[in-house]
Amino acid sequence: MRKPLLVFIYLLCFSVWQTFAVDIKSIGVPYVQNYTKALYQFGNQNWSVTRDEHGIMYFGNAQGLLAFDGKYWQQYHMPNGLIVRAVTADGKGKIYAGGYGEFGYWENDDKGFLKYTSLVNLVPKKFLPINEEVWKIYCEKDRILFQAFGSIYIYSKGKIEVVKTRQPYLFLFKAGNRFFIEQLLKGLFELKGSKLEYVKGSDILGGSGVLSILPFQHNKYIIGTAKSGLFIYDGETIKPWANQCNDFLKTYQLNNGVAIAGRYLAYGTILNGIVIVDTAGRVVQHINKASGMQNNTVLSLYTDTEQNLWAGLDNGIDRIEVNSPLYFYFDKTGKFGTVYASIIFDKKIYLGTNQGLFYSDWLPESNKGPFQSFDFKLIPGSQGQVWDLSLQDGRLLCGHNDGTYQVTGSSITKISDITGGWTIKKIAPDMLIQGTYTGLVIYKKDAAGNWHFNHKLADFGEPSRYVERDSKGQIWVSHAYKGIYKLSLSADQKKAVSRVYYDKSYGLPGSYNINVFDLDNRIVFSSDSGFYVYDDITDRFYKYQQLNKKLGTFATSSKIIKAIGKKYWFINQGRVALADLSVPGKLTIDTNRFTILSGQMVQHYETINRINNSTYLISVDDGFVILNDDDALRGSSINIPSVLIRRVENVTDKVSLISEDGFSKDAIEIPYAQNNIRIAYSLPYFRQAKIKFQYYLDGYSHQWSDWTSQSQKEFTNLDQGTYHFKVRAKINDQQVSAETVFTFTILPPWYAGKIAMVFYLLLIVLSYYIIRHYYRLKLKRHQQHIHQKLQKEKEEFLKQEAIANEQHIINIKNEQLQADLASKSRELANSAMNIVYKNELLQKISDELGHLKDSSGKKLADEQLRRIQKVIDEGMSDDRDWNIFENSFNEAHENFFKKLKAGHPDLVPNDLKLCAYLRMNMSSKEMASLLNISLRGVEIRRYRLRKKLNLEHDKNLTEFLIEL
């Protein structure tokens, strides 16, 4: 059981070592990323570097403590604005820092803000005040060491012990688990506990000044000095170490050092950047301002777990990818101009530029000599534009603006005067075809293996940018500007027996930017719309859908370059990808590893040449790049760190900081009034890569977001409650990090808080009693109201009953009155009729008197008749009858005569009598009898009465009087 476990541990360690193994190349320089003062917005000088357990980098800066998480920079000031000379992380959440007369630690408080705590108050009073700089800080298990030139302060278990001697110190170094310090004029000492023990044999160092002690192989140590170079200490003796950088370090003043993966030693200098040596003492790299650094004065060095070499400079910060698969060479002086082609041949590297053909010695991998920089020289006679460098059967050919040359060492020989050799391809074992400004050129090989101009293809003079030969022997030519040609050559290859021009009418997406390439023994045509293929049967072009779909954004590539086997380079608008067609039916494309090359190559003239099975030479604008594909593949398997939650900000009204990071001890609580927040996050992965993030807010979102390069997210109008913000990262669209969870709580609004709830409870209780009181009061009032209503209804009922009784009495009285009125009307009528009958009787008597005779038969005497007639007339005109009638009429028709007289004051008594008789609706005969006039007289009176009453013609007189 134990043996398999040991094997497993060994394999695990081996795999980890493989993951982070560093193989630093001696050609070119690794990628250098510059972090300028303008970028991080702090002081120029960076005196020390460290990294904490979360992957955040910290720098001791001239203005304080500087932090960098891969995306965001944060600045922190020491008390009194001190310079931070030393900084180190203990891996437990504390960042120790020191400056002049001050040292302590930075730590996140409960709210996630980085706060400083001074430890100077723990120093025994007899050693106060501290009037010196703290230059070094080291963490060791349960103690922290702060080193100044006059004292060593050991912080442990809440107390500080001071190690002080008469002679001043230089610098304290930690090498493995041991601490060494130089005491001026006395030699090198080892600090054991709180005691200093002299290192025997260190007198050899003299007063050279020890500035670096690094662990070496087999429990040995390399001691770096300011004036005497490097020494090796084996635990017993110290002796000079023979190496290739001693003179360099003595000349340019070694200032600090750091070990890289146990295989290399990097030394920073005051005057000339960084030099890297291997364990054999050979210089493998020299990196300075000329090769990409911002400054030659290196104040501090640090290597992180991914073997990034961090350099704190006198002006800025640089990160050097010493294990990068890409190594660069840039022409910072502008010596050779823009590079259009590059190639390695016969232990020389050649660069074809717009100024001519340059060369320098190539340092092969087997060379174990010192690190050498390139010294490019112009080959005489090559001045002018170089378009192409091609190696054909052991001969290097140069396509030039002035013709074509064969290159041998540092000299060239012209083999063709045809100008503008863009591209050259082999079409037979001893024959080449070249595309030029003015058509196609044929070259043949002689017995000595040299290439010679044979002839120019007749009857074809088009500018030929790309040339390919298909399986049928047909030559495809890409016009430099417009269209594609297909040529069939004669048997002697001297002329084109057929020539067909293809453009948009044959299925191509257009006539411009159409290029031809050989992809895995198949001719393909690139365009801005994707790749096309040609169909012999229909003589038309069709989209290469299978290829376009698998290439994705690289389907619109403008150039294809063969790599090795079935691997091909695709170049699209300055972006580079390596596609692998090794597996039938499957295409894998790798682009993320080459993002650093985007935009650095000359468009349309990109060149990538294979040096060996895994190394490529890539031309860039002002130099070249060496790519080691094996290193690139090995580097792609590293572990991804966790995403860090950084700033949490309130963006409700104005931006205000809620927390500086997500490492707070307590859950962050955010007031409801600040429920619009922005969360910034980052991935502490510092190498060049395409990083994308995906987030999910549990309690707010329904699903994970799309992958995005944005490193912050705003959430608005969050409801009260607890939220879990989850975020993860993906590098180069491949590896995904673990989820990082940040929990925060949006507090209830003031009206929903605890105090408000107590208030609401009290209010509810108070409201209950108020409502209860009000209800009782209302109930009492309601009862009173009902009582009053009942009383009122009772009174109303009695009142209505009284009214009804009164009305009943009135009705009875009215009925009585009506009965009386009817009785009076009858009496009136009877009276009137009696008068009529009386008058008629008297009239008949009067009429009979005229016929009366005496016994003798004679008429009675007139005197007798007059007396009787007088009596009759007096009876007929007696006013007493009228007075009785008038009284009866007034009783039956109250106020009739008053109304009549009021409206018609000109009426006379006879008129009033006629009106009364008409009101009683008497006939004309009856009225004539009562008025003692004739019927004619009645009519006349009626007529006169109408006039006096001013009646309309169509108005009935009787109706008028009845209505009155």
Side-chain angles (χ1 to χ4, degrees):
M1 180 66 187
R2 187 175 180 181
K3 185 175 181 180
L5 180 61
L6 292 175
V7 172
F8 171 77
I9 294 173
Y10 170 78
L11 291 175
L12 180 63
C13 295
F14 180 76
S15 64
V16 171
W17 179 85
Q18 286 281 47
T19 299
F20 297 107
V22 178
D23 184 16
I24 301 177
K25 306 297 186 296
S26 298
I27 302 172
V29 294
Y31 174 71
V32 179
Q33 184 168 9
N34 302 136
Y35 301 105
T36 64
K37 175 186 176 183
L39 177 65
Y40 59 72
Q41 297 290 306
F42 223 37
N44 290 32
Q45 297 174 321
N46 294 278
W47 292 95
S48 54
V49 188
T50 191
R51 188 179 188 183
D52 71 3
E53 67 275 15
H54 302 293
I56 301 174
M57 300 299 303
Y58 292 91
F59 304 89
N61 185 270
Q63 288 186 230
L65 180 68
L66 181 63
F68 179 51
D69 57 22
K71 179 67 178 181
Y72 302 103
W73 294 90
Q74 289 181 274
Q75 302 82 16
Y76 305 94
H77 293 280
M78 290 283 286
N80 303 315
L82 294 174
I83 298 172
V84 177
R85 299 288 187 183
V87 62
T88 191
D90 68 353
K92 301 175 184 178
K94 292 182 179 179
I95 310 299
Y96 290 90
Y100 180 79
E102 178 63 52
F103 59 86
Y105 62 88
W106 294 83
E107 186 178 25
N108 285 312
D109 64 10
D110 294 341
K111 300 298 182 182
F113 290 91
L114 198 64
K115 299 296 183 181
Y116 179 75
T117 301
S118 176
L119 296 177
V120 173
N121 60 320
L122 300 179
V123 176
K125 291 183 179 181
K126 65 179 180 180
F127 297 106
L128 293 176
I130 301 174
N131 296 314
E132 55 185 349
E133 298 265 13
V134 174
W135 287 97
K136 300 289 183 180
I137 303 175
Y138 296 101
C139 296
E140 183 193 29
K141 295 181 181 179
D142 58 350
R143 66 176 190 165
I144 310 297
L145 285 73
F146 302 88
Q147 182 256 320
F149 286 154
S151 307
I152 300 173
Y153 303 91
I154 302 175
Y155 173 59
S156 178
K157 299 178 180 180
K159 297 181 180 180
I160 289 181
E161 182 182 1
V162 180
V163 179
K164 193 174 183 69
T165 61
R166 294 181 180 179
Q167 294 297 328
Y169 302 119
L170 191 54
F171 292 112
L172 177 70
F173 300 100
K174 183 179 181 181
N177 295 319
R178 300 174 70 179
F179 291 92
F180 298 94
I181 189 168
E182 181 182 10
Q183 194 171 353
L184 298 181
L185 303 178
K186 282 194 172 184
L188 189 65
F189 290 80
E190 181 177 358
L191 178 66
K192 294 184 177 181
S194 59
K195 304 296 182 179
L196 292 175
E197 292 186 7
Y198 179 72
V199 176
K200 295 180 180 180
S202 62
D203 53 333
I204 192 176
L205 301 174
S208 58
V210 176
L211 298 177
S212 170
I213 299 179
L214 302 176
F216 198 51
Q217 50 191 243
H218 308 302
N219 297 319
K220 296 178 182 179
Y221 302 91
I222 298 295
I223 301 174
T225 65
K227 302 176 182 178
S228 304
L230 302 179
F231 294 81
I232 187 166
Y233 172 52
D234 61 4
E236 297 292 336
T237 60
I238 299 175
K239 56 185 179 181
W241 183 43
N243 61 83
Q244 296 176 353
C245 68
N246 260 339
D247 292 339
F248 177 90
L249 294 176
K250 292 176 184 178
T251 304
Y252 297 111
Q253 298 182 32
L254 179 149
N255 192 40
N256 42 59
V258 68
I260 303 176
R263 300 179 60 191
Y264 301 95
L265 305 175
Y267 290 100
T269 69
I270 296 295
L271 303 175
N272 203 355
I274 299 170
V275 63
I276 301 176
V277 298
D278 61 15
T279 53
R282 294 185 294 263
V283 174
V284 294
Q285 270 297 331
H286 175 212
I287 310 163
N288 58 13
K289 188 172 183 179
S291 55
M293 292 180 64
Q294 298 176 77
N295 190 271
N296 278 330
T297 301
V298 181
L299 300 180
S300 55
L301 286 175
Y302 180 84
T303 53
D304 61 23
T305 54
E306 287 80 33
Q307 303 308 315
N308 292 296
L309 178 61
W310 295 85
L313 307 177
D314 192 54
N315 187 11
I317 300 168
D318 283 346
R319 182 185 63 84
I320 304 166
E321 289 186 9
V322 292
N323 59 343
S324 170
L326 298 171
Y327 275 69
F328 298 80
Y329 178 84
F330 294 113
D331 176 25
K332 296 294 183 179
T333 62
K335 181 178 181 179
F336 48 68
T338 303
V339 178
Y340 282 77
S342 60
I343 199 168
I344 294 171
F345 171 66
D346 197 21
K347 297 183 180 181
K348 285 182 172 52
I349 180 170
Y350 295 90
L351 302 180
T353 76
N354 63 323
Q355 298 181 16
L357 183 61
F358 291 80
Y359 77 97
S360 178
D361 291 332
W362 175 257
L363 183 65
E365 295 181 3
S366 59
N367 191 335
K368 301 301 180 182
F371 172 81
Q372 296 179 359
S373 60
F374 293 100
D375 181 20
F376 284 97
K377 298 177 182 178
L378 177 67
I379 295 179
S382 70
Q383 292 87 339
Q385 177 70 57
V386 175
W387 292 116
D388 180 50
L389 289 173
S390 176
L391 188 61
Q392 300 291 341
D393 294 344
R395 298 293 186 270
L396 180 60
L397 303 181
C398 173
H400 196 280
N401 181 67
D402 298 333
T404 301
Y405 299 86
Q406 182 168 299
V407 182
T408 305
S410 59
S411 63
I412 56 174
T413 303
K414 180 176 280 190
I415 60 174
S416 171
D417 291 323
I418 308 298
T419 58
W422 271 319
T423 183
I424 194 164
K425 293 293 176 71
K426 181 179 286 189
I427 58 174
D430 62 345
M431 187 180 297
L432 303 175
I433 188 168
Q434 183 183 44
T436 69
Y437 295 163
T438 56
L440 300 176
V441 175
I442 302 297
Y443 296 89
K444 285 195 174 182
K445 185 168 59 174
D446 62 15
N450 296 316
W451 296 98
H452 298 277
F453 172 80
N454 189 267
H455 63 274
K456 186 176 183 295
L457 194 67
D459 302 326
F460 186 79
E462 303 295 337
S464 305
R465 181 66 183 87
Y466 296 101
V467 179
E468 295 290 348
R469 181 176 182 271
D470 65 16
S471 58
K472 296 183 178 181
Q474 301 172 117
I475 304 299
W476 291 91
V477 179
S478 174
H479 192 281
Y481 305 103
K482 186 177 181 181
I484 289 286
Y485 290 89
K486 183 178 71 172
L487 307 176
S488 295
L489 305 185
S490 60
D492 58 4
Q493 312 290 330
K494 290 189 175 182
K495 65 178 181 177
V497 296
S498 73
R499 163 180 166 172
V500 182
Y501 173 73
Y502 294 98
D503 57 11
K504 189 175 182 180
S505 61
Y506 287 86
L508 290 170
S511 300
Y512 294 90
N513 301 322
I514 308 296
N515 299 321
V516 58
F517 302 100
D518 183 335
L519 179 64
D520 199 20
N521 297 321
R522 183 173 188 178
I523 301 300
V524 297
F525 303 86
S526 67
S527 74
D528 294 336
S529 300
F531 285 98
Y532 282 73
V533 292
Y534 173 72
D535 182 55
D536 282 324
I537 298 175
T538 59
D539 194 28
R540 291 185 63 81
F541 293 84
Y542 298 93
K543 265 196 170 183
Y544 197 168
Q545 298 287 10
Q546 299 90 333
L547 179 63
N548 291 334
K549 184 177 180 180
K550 292 179 180 179
L551 286 175
T553 58
F554 279 85
T556 55
S557 297
S558 59
K559 193 165 188 177
I560 300 175
I561 301 173
K562 185 173 178 58
I564 185 173
K566 292 193 174 185
K567 290 184 177 181
Y568 292 84
W569 296 99
F570 285 80
I571 301 172
N572 182 18
Q573 299 295 322
R575 296 187 300 128
V576 182
L578 182 61
D580 189 351
L581 287 72
S582 302
V583 181
K586 182 180 179 181
L587 183 148
T588 57
I589 185 165
D590 181 9
T591 176
N592 298 308
R593 291 189 290 130
F594 313 110
T595 54
I596 194 172
L597 297 175
S598 296
Q600 295 201 46
M601 306 172 76
V602 181
Q603 191 170 8
H604 305 305
Y605 295 94
E606 302 89 350
T607 58
I608 302 176
N609 286 295
R610 182 166 59 88
I611 300 173
N612 54 43
N613 290 342
S614 61
T615 309
Y616 298 89
L617 176 67
I618 304 172
S619 301
V620 292
D621 292 338
D622 53 353
F624 60 87
V625 178
I626 303 295
L627 167 68
N628 189 299
D629 199 33
D630 288 342
D631 287 350
L633 291 174
R634 183 172 63 244
S636 64
S637 61
I638 63 171
N639 294 324
I640 303 179
S642 297
V643 178
L644 304 180
I645 302 297
R646 301 303 286 154
R647 298 171 68 88
V648 181
E649 297 171 314
N650 164 35
V651 294
T652 303
D653 296 319
K654 61 179 181 179
V655 177
S656 60
L657 191 60
I658 297 174
S659 175
E660 283 184 338
D661 59 48
F663 306 130
S664 58
K665 297 177 181 178
D666 297 335
I668 290 180
E669 295 182 341
I670 301 172
Y672 187 80
Q674 301 177 4
N675 64 345
N676 301 301
I677 67 170
R678 177 168 59 213
I679 302 175
Y681 39 87
S682 65
L683 185 72
Y685 183 80
F686 302 98
R687 295 173 63 85
Q688 288 295 299
K690 182 169 69 174
I691 299 175
K692 291 183 178 181
F693 296 94
Q694 191 180 45
Y695 56 84
Y696 171 72
L697 183 58
D698 189 9
Y700 181 87
S701 308
H702 298 292
Q703 60 184 11
W704 283 89
S705 69
D706 294 332
W707 289 101
T708 175
S709 58
Q710 295 295 322
S711 59
Q712 61 182 22
K713 174 61 181 174
E714 288 188 9
F715 297 98
T716 57
N717 298 321
L718 293 174
D719 290 332
Q720 67 182 69
T722 299
Y723 295 87
H724 304 283
F725 178 73
K726 301 177 181 179
V727 62
R728 57 192 179 191
K730 180 166 63 174
I731 294 181
N732 295 333
D733 293 325
Q734 295 174 349
Q735 295 173 282
V736 179
S737 71
E739 293 179 10
T740 296
V741 181
F742 169 62
T743 301
F744 63 94
T745 300
I746 301 294
L747 297 175
W750 64 267
Y751 52 81
K754 293 180 180 180
I755 296 177
M757 291 302 172
V758 173
F759 173 76
Y760 294 151
L761 180 61
L762 294 176
L763 186 61
I764 289 171
V765 173
L766 181 61
S767 300
Y768 168 75
Y769 284 104
I770 291 175
I771 292 171
R772 181 183 176 187
H773 175 72
Y774 174 76
Y775 176 75
R776 288 181 175 179
L777 184 62
K778 184 177 180 181
L779 182 61
K780 185 176 180 180
R781 289 178 179 176
H782 184 64
Q783 289 173 345
Q784 292 175 351
H785 175 71
I786 292 174
H787 179 72
Q788 292 174 356
K789 184 177 180 181
L790 290 173
Q791 188 67 28
K792 187 176 181 181
E793 287 178 352
K794 183 178 179 181
E795 292 174 356
E796 184 69 21
F797 175 75
L798 293 174
K799 183 179 179 180
Q800 291 296 329
E801 188 175 8
I803 292 173
N805 292 335
E806 186 179 350
Q807 184 68 34
H808 182 64
I809 293 171
I810 292 172
N811 290 337
I812 292 174
K813 288 181 179 181
N814 287 338
E815 289 174 359
Q816 184 64 39
L817 290 173
Q818 290 295 331
D820 292 345
L821 181 60
S823 175
K824 289 182 180 294
S825 295
R826 286 192 298 272
E827 289 177 1
L828 179 62
N830 292 333
S831 175
M833 292 307 296
N834 289 332
I835 294 171
V836 171
Y837 291 152
K838 183 196 79 169
N839 287 344
E840 286 180 350
L841 178 60
L842 290 176
Q843 184 64 40
K844 286 181 180 180
I845 293 172
S846 178
D847 289 343
E848 288 295 328
L849 286 178
H851 295 87
L852 288 177
K853 293 179 178 180
D854 57 13
S855 58
S856 62
K858 293 180 180 181
K859 290 184 179 181
L860 297 176
D862 290 334
E863 186 65 24
Q864 293 175 342
L865 291 174
R866 278 196 294 273
R867 287 195 299 268
I868 296 170
Q869 187 65 42
K870 181 179 179 183
V871 172
I872 292 170
D873 289 338
E874 287 176 355
M876 291 181 67
S877 59
D878 192 356
D879 289 335
R880 289 177 297 177
D881 292 336
W882 168 249
N883 290 333
I884 294 169
F885 177 82
E886 184 179 15
N887 290 333
S888 299
F889 186 86
N890 281 331
E891 289 178 359
H893 303 284
E894 187 178 359
N895 300 325
F896 176 74
F897 291 118
K898 290 181 180 179
K899 293 179 181 179
L900 193 59
K901 287 179 181 180
H904 307 282
D906 56 340
L907 294 177
V908 297
N910 284 334
D911 294 332
L912 294 174
K913 289 180 181 181
L914 180 59
C915 289
Y917 298 150
L918 287 171
R919 172 69 182 264
M920 292 181 67
N921 201 18
M922 290 184 177
S923 64
S924 296
K925 183 179 179 181
E926 291 171 340
M927 287 186 289
S929 176
L930 290 171
L931 295 173
N932 199 20
I933 59 175
S934 64
L935 290 174
R936 178 65 178 167
V938 172
E939 294 300 325
I940 290 171
R941 285 192 178 187
R942 286 171 67 99
Y943 175 73
R944 289 174 180 170
L945 181 61
R946 288 181 67 89
K947 290 186 69 177
K948 288 182 178 181
L949 295 175
N950 295 320
L951 293 180
E952 297 291 335
H953 177 69
D954 57 348
K955 183 66 176 178
N956 186 280
L957 180 59
T958 303
E959 290 179 356
F960 171 75
L961 292 172
I962 292 172
E963 293 172 355
L964 188 64

